[in-house]
């Protein structure tokens, strides 16, 4: 069976970060126009203030799965070995890493019960690991994958197709497209 690495943030779920961000900034952020590489850039200079407000909040509480993710992953799990590979410590350290790790674990168990917890890999450096297929919304995380699928998000929208082509990366718009490619 071939192996698939699946990223969690912005591929399985968007979590509640956007809601927290809107609440903190007191306005609705338009991610399509304001989003640089990290949404965290929008709170630049106010990290400590943000952190003290939100460090005990659960980023995944009641967060919906991204459309068709459950159904497609369920089908894929019958044909591939699926590993969820996700970072729980962020550079800015906005949320307590030990809580973030626990919240991610519990969310995955509850939402995707057909993927065993021994297939969760919590790490910062995904490019160290080889997989037959990698699905992620960040280009550098796709390194070391035989097939590289970039999950489209506002953050990677502006990367030119030519650059993706050179790196052997295919942009996928949604989970249905992943289903068509892999099944
Ligand atoms: Mg991600």
């Amino acid at each position: 069976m071939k192996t698939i690495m699946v990223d969690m943030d912005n591929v399985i779920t968007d979590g509640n970060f956007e809601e927290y961000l809107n609440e903190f900034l007191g306005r609705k952020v338009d991610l399509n126009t304001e989003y640089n590489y990290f949404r965290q850039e929008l709170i630049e200079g106010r990290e400590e203030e943000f952190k003290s407000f939100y460090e005990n909040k659960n980023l995944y509480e009641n967060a919906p799965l991204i459309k068709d993710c459950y159904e497609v992953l369920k089908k894929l799990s019958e044909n591939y070995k699926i590993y969820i590979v996700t970072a729980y410590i962020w550079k800015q350290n906005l949320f307590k890493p030990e809580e973030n790790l626990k919240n991610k674990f519990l969310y995955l168990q509850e939402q995707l019960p057909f993927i065993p917890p021994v297939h969760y890999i919590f790490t910062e450096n995904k490019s160290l690991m080889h997989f037959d297929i990698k699905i992620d919304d960040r280009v550098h995380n796709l390194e070391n994958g035989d097939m590289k699928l970039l999950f489209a998000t506002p953050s990677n929208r502006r990367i030119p197709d030519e650059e993706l082509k050179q790196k052997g990366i295919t942009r996928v718009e949604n989970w249905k497209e992943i289903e068509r490619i892999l099944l």
Side-chain angles (χ1 to χ4, degrees), residues 7-11 126 136-138 141:
D7 173 34
M8 179 171 175
D9 292 312
N10 306 117
V11 173
K126 300 180 189 181
D136 206 291
D137 64 314
R138 303 248 168 98
N141 290 336

Side-chain angles (χ1 to χ4, degrees), residues 119-142:
H119 283 208
Y120 305 162
I121 299 172
F122 296 100
T123 180
E124 169 62 29
N125 196 336
K126 300 180 189 181
S127 58
L128 280 176
M129 284 172 282
H130 169 265
F131 286 88
D132 295 309
I133 299 147
K134 286 191 163 190
I135 306 169
D136 206 291
D137 64 314
R138 303 248 168 98
V139 165
H140 63 267
N141 290 336
L142 295 171

